[in-house]
Amino acid sequence: MLRPLAPFLCLALAAQPTPYQKAPKAIQTVLDAPGTPALIASPAGDRVLLAEVERHPSIKDLAQPMARLAGLRLNLRARGPHTPQRLKALALQDLKGGPAKPIALPPGAALGQPRWSPDGTYFVMTGTTADATELWVGEAATGKLRRIKGLKLNAVLGNPLDWMADGSLIAKAVPTGQGPAPKAPEVPAGPRIQENAGKAAPAPTYQDLLQNAFDETLFEFLGQSQLVRVNLATGALKPLGKPGLYADVQPSPDGRMLLVARLQRPFSYLVPASQFPVREEVWDRAGALVHTAADLPLAEGLPLEGVRTGPRRLQWRPTEPATLAWVEALDGGDPRQKAEFRDRVLTQAAPFKAEPTELVRLKARLMGLEWGERGDLAVVREYERERRWVRTWLLDPAKPGSARLAFDLSSNDRYRAPGTFAQRILPNGQAALRQQGDVLFLTGAGATPTGDRPFLDRFDPRSLKAERIFQCGEGVYEATVALLPEGRFITRRESPTEAPNYVLHEKETRTLTAFGDPLPELRKIRKQLVKYTRPDGVALSFTMYLPPDYKAGERRPAVVWAYPLEFTDAATAGQVSGSTNRFTTIGGMSHLFFLLSGYVVLDGATMPVVGDPKTVNDTFLDQVVASAKAAIDKADELGVIDPKRVGVGGHSYGAFMTANLLAHSKLFKAGIARSGAYNRTLTPFGFQSERRTLWEAPDMYLKVSPFMHANKFNAPILLIHGEADNNQGTFPIQSERLYMALKGNGQTVRYITLPHESHGYIARESVEHTLWEMIRWFNKHLR
């Protein structure tokens, strides 16, 4: 007897995958618009490159085979990162005048960000093809590109290129004659066994780790590099030493030695490659071993927020022929251990026979070490975790123990932040702090109660006084992007009505570029900084965006988009960040696209969590609920929103916040949570800045986990997660389990997973579908 086909046809139709949805046409137009290219100035100060990056590869690109090994995501055939950066356009501009000259990019190769040679004669780029990572060289005089023949780079363990003192390159190459990659066994040889002999070894929730013996073999195969010296003028290649797992290679300032970081077995299934055993060796130009600077064991079981013992951050002093500098922990690498000093900085000159010289001891953990270009100055920064405090010291390397305190402030204090010391590339290829006589240069955001006003300062290390050279004016946003010889500098200038362009500041100020407005329709969007106060007195703010078609007096549905941050005091928690004077652009999966659907957007609504760093999360829920209510009340007071039609959203920790707001308040009609973590028992050794473990603060971990309150959600929630999320703590299972919990408790929830996407979503198809889901969700529940 023949059975009816209809039931089977229905099953077949139901099994069809859901196709990617297109975003509304207005959003597609915005996504298609060109962006402002990045400016990369030549060290010679005579030319700049203008590089525009492809923002959204296709899902086909993301779907290419990927090896996930030792915390890395790799393209097996090209021997590099799985999704490398790709240039969309490149141009060369002479600073003497004239328009930028477009550079023709080679077909079939995805070029990465260009890097100038120390003398500005060449610029180099990696080029990823279907089966190799190539080296491409550009000539500054003509802009002509050429490929170095016979060279396949190996970018598996990071940057494969660095400059030698004579202008040649040292490169990590795929060893010739290595043969095919090993194949996974069809049948496992046995079980995978891990064991601990009673030693505490807490670890963050790393992803993409080695899983078995085959993974170890494949990682070792893919990571093997042959060091090669490349003559850019002739294309000649000269191998150095034998192949190995070279994580980093640093040429000495005099070009006669190499500092080589070589990974060794045993590998780990618990930590990424950066914590594998590493041997730091000094070689001569022929590749022969001269000195072993460090031989560090596997770093499993580091204390939480701790560091390795032994030499770390090994580097050359850029102005000495061959002097190594490094840092060593004095507290066993454990921030919980009481110690008068936590770190010390040491140096040792070739031939490395004399005892190392101690330059300075630090009471807190070192977070930065930089050297002046004249050789008589070092800048050392330390971070005190107990207070979230940063101190910056200046010292003369020739006078150990001579450190003077330059800056001393909270890491959260944006208003007092002195800025960052500017660097330059020296003729020997080394990076050093830019100096003009005794003077250093500082660039900073220039945060003020009315918004950021970027600045450029001269800083005298003798008097510790800063002199302002430039500061962004009123009504615009202008920031320094490049410092040039002879006191010249380049800024990027924009305003709410003026597209970003680059400006050269010399004797006379001159605009270098003339980029127009690609999206005049977005100029109808209005925005303003809005400040208000939480009931406990903490100052808050958001940037209020009004949609292009908004009319005075209307009350529109609104979107609150936020990300909570921790602070030790209310004063810094209330400081304003960002600027309303920037040119409005929208890209990627931005929540600002809600403006094109008629919503008011309260962007960056501050959600400070203030308190003792040891216990601040005990009041996380109370503080974010109070902050959210204050934001809605303020927007309601302004008369622009309907307080009964407000949605909330966030990404990552903002998604965690969103789910908690829906579970612990009735402020919102719906929520959108992207790539979040919702069950803190799955991150038991801490999260964000939380220092306690699950076993030390079980009540808090359960209290702030939205998963534990799935029966109490007060509004529908849209969950979106990349299926390949590799961010610490935000395994895709976080969203999967929350969805199942919400569904099991009868809540209204929709759950979207995006194939091949990581923590952020980049494929054009994924971005459009995400925006389609977000707008559809709020249209359904807020309209």
Side-chain angles (χ1 to χ4, degrees):
M1 179 180 177
L2 294 175
R3 296 181 179 180
L5 293 175
F8 298 98
L9 182 59
C10 290
L11 287 172
L13 290 173
Q16 293 298 310
T18 302
Y20 287 102
Q21 298 296 316
K22 289 284 188 180
K25 186 64 178 176
I27 291 178
Q28 293 184 44
T29 300
V30 174
L31 291 174
D32 289 337
T36 302
L39 181 144
I40 308 163
S42 164
D46 57 349
R47 297 178 175 89
V48 297
L49 288 166
L50 298 171
E52 183 182 358
V53 175
E54 182 180 304
R55 289 173 287 179
H56 301 300
S58 71
I59 195 65
K60 181 180 178 181
D61 293 325
L62 265 64
Q64 296 303 305
M66 176 197 297
R68 302 184 186 186
L69 301 168
L72 306 172
R73 294 190 163 183
L74 305 172
N75 181 322
L76 287 86
R77 293 185 294 179
R79 294 289 183 93
H82 180 259
T83 311
Q85 188 181 70
R86 305 176 180 204
L87 287 184
K88 182 179 180 181
L90 184 63
L92 181 65
Q93 184 156 359
D94 194 318
L95 294 183
K96 294 178 181 177
K101 298 177 181 179
I103 296 174
L105 302 182
L111 298 187
Q113 196 80 343
R115 294 174 57 191
W116 285 100
S117 64
D119 63 1
T121 302
Y122 300 106
F123 53 94
V124 297
M125 298 165 284
T126 59
T128 304
T129 68
D131 58 2
T133 298
E134 302 171 336
L135 173 58
W136 285 80
V137 181
E139 297 178 0
T142 64
K144 182 180 178 181
L145 299 182
R146 55 186 168 87
R147 178 175 63 87
I148 297 296
K149 298 179 181 180
L151 177 64
K152 291 185 177 182
L153 298 175
N154 190 334
V156 164
L157 295 178
N159 177 29
L161 303 169
D162 211 341
W163 293 106
M164 299 284 286
D166 61 1
S168 62
L169 278 172
I170 189 74
K172 292 189 285 185
V174 176
T176 56
Q178 188 181 33
K183 293 184 177 180
E186 295 182 2
V187 178
R192 182 165 69 96
I193 299 171
Q194 298 185 66
E195 185 176 5
N196 187 55
K199 181 181 178 181
T205 50
Y206 296 118
Q207 301 192 47
D208 301 331
L209 301 177
L210 300 178
Q211 298 294 316
N212 50 48
F214 172 73
D215 279 0
E216 295 187 56
T217 302
L218 183 59
F219 170 74
E220 196 164 38
F221 175 86
L222 295 174
Q224 286 283 328
S225 294
Q226 171 66 60
L227 300 187
V228 177
R229 187 176 174 191
V230 185
N231 185 313
L232 296 185
T234 65
L237 307 176
K238 182 180 180 181
L240 300 175
K242 297 179 179 180
L245 287 175
Y246 301 124
D248 189 36
V249 182
Q250 301 179 52
S252 64
D254 64 3
R256 297 186 176 186
M257 296 183 181
L258 297 173
L259 175 61
V260 178
R262 180 163 54 89
L263 301 185
Q264 303 181 99
R265 285 180 177 268
F267 302 147
S268 171
Y269 297 176
L270 299 178
V271 296
S274 59
Q275 294 175 230
F276 287 0
V278 60
R279 187 179 173 91
E280 299 268 6
E281 301 174 338
V282 177
W283 295 3
D284 64 18
R285 286 169 65 98
L289 178 66
V290 172
H291 171 65
T292 299
D295 198 352
L296 303 178
L298 178 65
E300 280 186 1
L302 285 180
L304 296 174
E305 297 187 88
V307 297
R308 270 178 155 147
T309 55
R312 69 181 200 277
R313 287 177 174 249
L314 277 87
Q315 58 189 266
W316 296 107
R317 277 192 58 190
T319 56
E320 297 298 307
T323 295
L324 287 175
W326 67 90
V327 188
E328 289 182 0
L330 298 172
D331 60 358
D334 188 350
R336 297 191 179 192
Q337 180 176 309
K338 292 184 177 181
E340 182 181 2
F341 297 99
R342 297 210 175 272
D343 273 340
R344 63 174 181 165
V345 178
L346 302 104
T347 62
Q348 187 181 35
F352 314 109
K353 303 298 184 183
E355 287 296 310
T357 299
E358 182 180 297
L359 294 187
V360 65
R361 290 194 171 207
L362 303 172
K363 292 182 178 293
R365 188 71 69 212
L366 181 131
M367 65 177 295
L369 174 59
E370 299 171 300
W371 309 90
E373 67 171 275
R374 297 196 323 180
D376 59 356
L377 179 70
V379 177
V380 180
R381 287 177 294 127
E382 61 177 332
Y383 177 70
E384 184 183 332
R385 71 188 282 272
E386 295 301 322
R387 293 194 299 155
R388 294 182 181 150
W389 206 262
V390 177
R391 287 184 290 270
T392 302
W393 301 89
L394 307 182
L395 62 94
D396 183 344
K399 300 175 182 177
S402 64
R404 294 181 300 137
L405 184 62
F407 308 121
D408 185 20
L409 70 161
S410 166
S411 61
N412 292 323
D413 193 344
R414 301 188 80 251
Y415 292 172
R416 293 180 57 227
T420 302
F421 287 112
Q423 292 191 335
R424 80 177 187 94
I425 300 300
L426 303 180
N428 60 12
Q430 304 287 319
L433 297 178
R434 181 180 289 273
Q435 291 180 270
Q436 192 176 65
D438 291 322
V439 171
L440 298 167
F441 296 89
L442 287 163
T443 60
T448 76
T450 58
D452 290 353
R453 294 184 59 195
F455 65 82
L456 171 64
D457 283 353
R458 289 190 187 93
F459 180 81
D460 188 337
R462 297 166 301 178
S463 66
L464 303 181
K465 301 288 186 182
E467 175 193 358
R468 188 127 304 173
I469 303 172
F470 166 82
Q471 183 156 26
C472 170
E474 297 283 353
V476 298
Y477 182 87
E478 188 169 6
T480 304
V481 295
L483 268 65
L484 307 174
E486 302 167 350
R488 298 174 299 148
F489 60 97
I490 298 174
T491 59
R492 172 175 148 149
R493 177 189 173 92
E494 59 190 281
S495 76
T497 59
E498 177 187 359
N501 275 286
Y502 295 107
V503 180
L504 175 62
H505 297 254
E506 42 187 8
K507 291 182 180 179
E508 295 183 1
T509 300
R510 176 163 51 92
T511 302
L512 295 175
T513 57
F515 303 124
D517 184 352
L519 296 163
E521 183 67 19
L522 296 188
R523 282 343 105 215
K524 298 177 183 178
I525 294 171
R526 284 164 286 168
K527 56 186 173 182
Q528 73 177 85
L529 174 66
V530 177
K531 296 193 277 189
Y532 49 103
T533 305
R534 206 164 67 183
D536 62 359
V538 176
L540 305 174
S541 64
F542 57 68
T543 299
M544 182 174 69
Y545 285 84
L546 300 179
D549 62 347
Y550 180 82
K551 296 177 182 178
E554 290 182 329
R555 286 186 176 269
R556 295 284 188 97
V559 176
V560 174
W561 202 269
Y563 189 97
L565 295 171
E566 297 90 352
F567 297 86
T568 55
D569 64 281
T572 56
Q575 292 183 355
V576 172
S577 64
S579 172
T580 56
N581 292 320
R582 302 204 69 166
F583 189 70
T584 299
T585 57
I586 311 176
M589 52 189 180
S590 173
H591 51 281
L592 294 182
F593 279 116
F594 279 112
L595 293 164
L596 304 186
S597 293
Y599 291 85
V600 172
V601 177
L602 310 183
D603 183 36
T606 51
M607 301 277 176
V609 185
V610 185
D612 186 329
K614 297 177 181 177
T615 58
V616 67
N617 281 318
D618 290 350
T619 58
F620 175 90
L621 296 178
D622 294 337
Q623 295 198 54
V624 296
V625 170
S627 296
K629 185 178 186 305
I632 294 173
D633 288 347
K634 185 61 179 181
D636 182 26
E637 176 190 317
L638 294 173
V640 297
I641 72 165
D642 178 352
K644 296 181 180 179
R645 292 189 294 160
V646 181
V648 63
H651 190 89
S652 193
Y653 205 52
F656 169 71
M657 171 208 72
T658 295
N660 268 311
L661 286 171
L662 298 188
H664 298 284
S665 78
K666 296 183 179 180
L667 298 169
F668 300 99
K669 291 288 288 184
I672 297 173
R674 301 186 320 214
S675 298
Y678 312 105
N679 182 350
R680 287 303 172 191
T681 69
L682 298 180
T683 56
F685 292 106
F687 58 91
Q688 210 68 1
S689 63
E690 177 56 54
R691 298 172 180 175
R692 297 166 294 179
T693 70
L694 168 63
W695 299 275
E696 293 170 326
D699 292 341
M700 182 277 295
Y701 270 75
L702 297 178
K703 181 181 177 182
V704 302
S705 294
F707 177 84
M708 302 301 177
H709 307 280
N711 62 328
K712 299 176 183 177
F713 272 51
N714 296 297
I717 187 168
L718 171 66
L719 301 173
I720 305 176
H721 217 119
E723 292 181 5
D725 191 339
N726 65 342
N727 184 57
Q728 280 188 30
T730 56
F731 287 93
I733 197 174
Q734 291 273 7
S735 289
E736 177 188 334
R737 291 295 184 237
L738 180 59
Y739 170 72
M740 295 302 295
L742 292 169
K743 182 178 179 180
N745 280 282
Q747 302 283 1
T748 301
V749 58
R750 181 174 171 87
Y751 174 39
I752 313 300
T753 66
L754 299 170
H756 307 295
E757 292 290 357
S758 186
H759 193 57
Y761 324 139
I762 60 172
R764 178 62 181 258
E765 294 87 344
S766 302
V767 167
E768 286 202 47
H769 189 92
T770 296
L771 295 170
W772 181 85
E773 292 281 0
M774 290 167 55
I775 292 168
R776 178 175 175 268
W777 187 253
F778 277 170
N779 282 349
K780 179 178 180 180
H781 295 287
L782 269 60
R783 286 291 184 184

